[in-house]
Amino acid sequence: MDKFKSPVIIVHGGASKRVRYVPPATKSAVCKGIRAAAKRGYDILKSNDGTAVSAVIEAVSSLEDNKHFNAGFGSKLNKDRKVQMDAVVMDGENLKCGGAISVSNVANPVQLARLVMDKTEHCLLCSKKAEEFAKEMGVPTVSNDQLICERSVTLYGEALARQNQDMMDTTEKNEEKDDYGDQESHDTVGAVALDRHGNVAFATSTGGLNYSMPGRVGDSALPGCGGYADNCVGAASTTGKGEAILRVNLATKALTLMEAGQSPEEAACNSIKYMLDRVGGYGGIILLDNTGNTGVYCSDNWMSFAEIKDDIVRYGLHPDESKYEQL
């Protein structure tokens, strides 16, 4: 019997409420981008020395480079009209993790997160000191302006206009400002993987919420919230409103359900429903166990994803609308 496991990777492009028309060209670009990211990670897993950590880093880096996703070059703008990004990675073999919080001049924060994990004794570095560490490690830097895309400028302008108009009643304000003035703003990117040696890993990266307070930190870079990986159970990456995810420790909740005997599919669904019931939070999760079974669930109406297992790609703009193709 083959001692190696069949590699598996799942990638998500973020959960959100899409309340406006999405052109077919954009949908096509998102599907192309999410499939390409999963394929890049899967190619690493298929190589003899490919690790789950390297696979999730590669997949998430691909999404950070794609302006259609809220990370890296597609990041949202805070109230100061600045990009402020968070990222994290975790190795399920030894529970080592690394995160970068509130960085603004690194094109691929997830690669900086890996350096925090591999090159320091710490788990998280933030803001200017994280950027100084990136420079010490030779990480390429970019200007904040280079990270700003047209879509983010538009969403920022709309949020600013709504604030200036101040014409909504209390009910409307609470509904509209559930995610700081933009119902489409809480998407994130992430990946989970199982390699041939049975090791799992996760990585998550975000460009934050549109028009959020400068200095705001969400769930994405925090292990147990934005994701978690443990060879004894599996791996998860989450997406949604960070404040809700933080309050329920969503990734930990999902893995705890699996540890109690639920399948990844059941745990994905039940952890998201728990967040909705307890704190009224919407979002999504990708989940796999340490044998390669998977679960993908989203309570919003949009969460692009791609899963590759046994050379079969499952993908879509929402888990309920899956398509399949052979590599």
Side-chain angles (χ1 to χ4, degrees), residues 257-316:
L257 292 175
M258 285 204 303
E259 200 169 21
Q262 293 190 17
S263 69
E265 186 174 0
E266 292 169 332
C269 176
N270 289 332
S271 61
I272 293 297
K273 288 183 176 179
Y274 173 81
M275 181 170 68
L276 181 60
D277 291 342
R278 291 291 286 129
V279 299
Y282 290 82
I285 190 169
I286 54 175
L287 194 59
L288 57 76
D289 65 20
N290 56 9
T291 64
N293 297 308
T294 64
V296 181
Y297 191 82
C298 178
S299 57
D300 280 315
N301 64 6
W302 177 284
M303 187 178 84
S304 60
F305 77 99
E307 171 189 323
I308 307 180
K309 181 178 182 179
D310 297 326
D311 291 344
I312 300 295
V313 184
R314 175 192 172 207
Y315 70 95

Side-chain angles (χ1 to χ4, degrees), residues 119-291:
K119 302 297 184 180
T120 81
E121 61 184 25
H122 307 301
C123 293
L124 299 170
L125 292 180
C126 70
S127 193
K128 296 298 183 183
K129 292 302 180 181
E131 294 171 357
E132 289 177 11
F133 174 70
K135 186 176 181 180
E136 291 173 8
M137 292 291 102
V139 176
T141 59
V142 296
S143 70
N144 200 261
D145 287 345
Q146 287 177 276
L147 297 169
I148 299 175
C149 67
E150 182 179 351
R151 177 176 65 113
S152 296
V153 172
T154 299
L155 293 174
Y156 173 89
E158 291 173 355
L160 180 62
R162 283 196 294 269
Q163 182 189 62
N164 291 340
Q165 288 172 356
D166 195 25
M167 293 171 58
M168 295 179 255
D169 64 29
T170 303
T171 301
E172 290 173 331
K173 282 184 179 179
N174 287 338
E175 179 181 355
E176 287 293 321
K177 294 181 74 62
D178 174 62
D179 45 6
Y180 296 89
D182 170 30
Q183 291 181 313
E184 300 179 14
S185 71
H186 57 246
D187 42 0
T188 295
V189 305
V192 295
L194 170 72
D195 64 30
R196 299 170 72 244
H197 303 286
N199 298 316
V200 299
F202 95 90
T204 302
S205 181
T206 185
L209 291 180
N210 183 50
Y211 209 63
S212 62
M213 288 181 61
R216 177 258 183 190
V217 176
D219 68 292
S220 296
L222 305 181
C225 299
Y228 202 78
D230 184 347
N231 278 12
C232 295
V233 186
S237 175
T238 68
T239 171
K241 181 70 177 294
E243 282 70 13
I245 292 173
L246 276 162
R247 289 164 68 187
V248 301
N249 286 333
L250 182 59
T252 298
K253 178 67 176 179
L255 263 67
T256 300
L257 292 175
M258 285 204 303
E259 200 169 21
Q262 293 190 17
S263 69
E265 186 174 0
E266 292 169 332
C269 176
N270 289 332
S271 61
I272 293 297
K273 288 183 176 179
Y274 173 81
M275 181 170 68
L276 181 60
D277 291 342
R278 291 291 286 129
V279 299
Y282 290 82
I285 190 169
I286 54 175
L287 194 59
L288 57 76
D289 65 20
N290 56 9
T291 64

Side-chain angles (χ1 to χ4, degrees), residues 45-68:
L45 293 173
K46 294 281 282 186
S47 64
N48 290 333
D49 58 350
T51 67
V53 169
S54 294
V56 296
I57 292 291
E58 183 68 19
V60 170
S61 294
S62 176
L63 297 176
E64 289 176 334
D65 291 338
N66 190 322
K67 67 179 181 179
H68 291 288

